[in-house]
Amino acid sequence: MAYQVPLLIGGKMVPSRTEQWLEVNNPATQKVIARLPCATEAEVEAAVVAASAAFVEWKETPVPERARLMLRYQALLKEHHDEIACLLSRDTGKTLEDAKGDVWRGIEVVEQAANIASLSMGETQENVARGVDCYSFTQPLGVCVGITPFNFPAMIPLWMFPLAIACGNTFVLKPSEQDPLVPMRLAELFMAAGAPDGLLQVIHGGKEVVDLLLVHPQVRAISFVGSVAAGQHIYRTGTDHLKRVQAFAGAKNHMVVLPDANRQQAINNLVGASVGAAGQRCMAISVAVLVGEARELLPELQAAMAKVRPGIWNDPDAGYGPLISPAAKTRVLQLIAEGKREGADCLLDGSHVRVSGYPDGNWLGPTLFGGVTTDMTIYKEEIFGPVLLVIMVDNLDEAIALVNANPYGNGTSIFTASGAAARKYQHEIQVGQVGINVPIPVPLPFFSFTGWRNSFYGDLHAYGKQAVRFYTETKTITARWFDDEAVADPNMSIHLK
Ligand code: NAD
C-alpha cells in the first residue's frame, strides 16, 4: 500500500480520519507514490485551534529566540538540501539541478527570516510635541494561513511560514495536493529544528479545505500562490471575511529583444526561460517580442529550441522534466491545437515527443509559435507549458504598448545594449519585476516578490520588508511623562541616576 501522508497538527504527525483520499503520482511514470487525505472539517478545526493555542506563548517569545529558531532551521535545510531536492524531483519530475534551485531559493528566505529583529523594528521620533515622544512597534497578528501551488513545492511554502512565524505568528499550511511530500519534509525539519508544538500545522486537501480556512474566525491572514481563478476566489472570500489577503496569481511574461542585443545571450536566455522547468514557472518567458531587425533571430531561436529535450530527473542531458499531471498536459495540448486552428504558425510542435523508457510520462517537447496576434487564445491564456510565442513589432514604443496592454504584470525582461532603451523600458513598463539582460528577474529575499495587475491581488507582497508588514500590526505609542518635579526632587534624582 502506498505511503499515506499524515497531517501535522499541534506538533504531531497524525493520520487523517477522512474517507476522501487523493493519489500523488510520479509525473514521469504515473506510479502512485503516496495517498493524500482531504482533511475533514474537524481536522481543519483542530489545526486552527492548535495554532491559536500556540500563539499565546509564541507571541511572547523574545525576538532573538525566534531568530535562533530560523538559524537552526536554515542549517538543517542546508544539511538536507540534496535529499530534499531528490524528493522534489521524484514528486514533481523536475530535473535535479532545477529541484536544487527550488530548495535553495527557499533557504534564502529562511536566512532572511533570521534577520527578523532588524526587519521588524518600528520607528521612533523624539519631541513630536514639547516633552512628547512617539514610537511604534510591530506585533504579530495570530493565526496565518498559506495555500501553495505545485510548481515550487519547496520555495513557495518557505516564502510564507518562516517569515510569518519569525514575526511571532503561528501558521496553517495547505500545500498543493499534487506534490505534498516536500512541504511535509520541510515541516518535519522545522520540528527537528526545535519549533515548539503548534507553530506550524500542515493539512491537506483541495478547495473544500481552503474554503473552511478562508472563513474561519480565528484566521487573521492568508497568503496564496496559484492560478488566477483560485486567487480571485481566495482574495474575494478572504477579504469579505475581513482577513488580510495576499494572492499571487498567473502570468504571461514577455521578453523584449532589441536589434542591438547580444545575439547569443538573447537566444540562450529565451530558450532557457521559456522551456526550463517545462514552462511551469510563474516567471517563465512565454512571449518573445522581437523588435525591428531582431526578427532575424527567429531561425536561430527555432534551431536552439529544437535541440532541447525533456527527460527524467537524473538525466544530465534533459533540459527539463514532464508536466505535473496528465490533465496539465491535455490542457497544454488543447491550447497548442487551438493556436494552430486560430492561424498561428507552429514552427516547432512538441505534442508528440517521447522519452525512451518512460512511455507514460507527461512529456511535451519545446513548442514555438510565430505569427501570433494578441487576440489568439494562446496569447490571452497562461499556457504553463514549454511553449514560446513570438510577436514582431517595429519599435520599442510598440513593444511597451503591447506588454502594457496584457492584463498580467508578473515579470518581463528586455535584452539590449542600450542603457537609454533599458531605462525607458524599466520606467514605462507596467510590470512589477523587470529584468535588464536578465530573463527571469525573481528578486532575492531582501527585496520582495512584486507582481502587479492580474498577477497579484492585495497590497503587501511576499518576503522582504513587505512580508513583515503583511504578517504584523503596527502599534504606535505617543508618550508624555509628567516627571519635571521628580527630576527636580533631590531624592528622586538619586534613583534616576
Ligand atoms: P492552483 O490555483 O490550481 O492551486 C494552487 C493552490 O490553490 C492549491 O493548494 C490548490 O489546492 C488550491 N486551489 C485550487 N483551486 C482552488 C479553488 N477554487 N479554491 C480554493 N483553493 C483552490 O495552481 P497550481 O496549478 O498549483 O499552480 C500553477 C499556477 O500558479 C499558475 O497559474 C502560476 O502562474 C501560478 N503561480 C504564480 C506565482 C506568482 O508568484 N505569481 C508563483 C507560482 C505559481
Side-chain angles (χ1 to χ4, degrees), residues 146-152 155-156 159 174-179 205-211 214 224-231 233-234 247-253 280-283 324 382 384 408 410 433 449 451 454-456 462:
I147 302 150
T148 55
F150 78 82
N151 65 330
F152 284 99
M155 179 184 81
I156 293 180
W159 278 6
K174 205 301 287 173
S176 168
E177 57 276 47
Q178 302 199 70
D179 49 10
K207 179 174 170 19
E208 296 74 22
V209 168
V210 172
D211 283 346
L214 296 182
F224 164 82
V225 179
S227 60
V228 168
H233 165 68
I234 286 167
F248 298 82
K252 197 85 179 171
N253 307 309
Q280 298 178 120
R281 293 197 270 227
C282 66
M283 290 287 278
I324 190 69
E382 180 184 41
F384 228 54
Y408 294 106
N410 218 30
Q433 300 171 108
F449 188 93
N454 264 7
S455 298
F456 178 68

Side-chain angles (χ1 to χ4, degrees), residues 25-27 91-93 150 178-179 280 322-326 328 362:
N25 302 93
N26 179 327
D91 213 2
T92 63
F150 78 82
Q178 302 199 70
D179 49 10
Q280 298 178 120
L323 296 191
I324 190 69
S325 66
N362 311 315

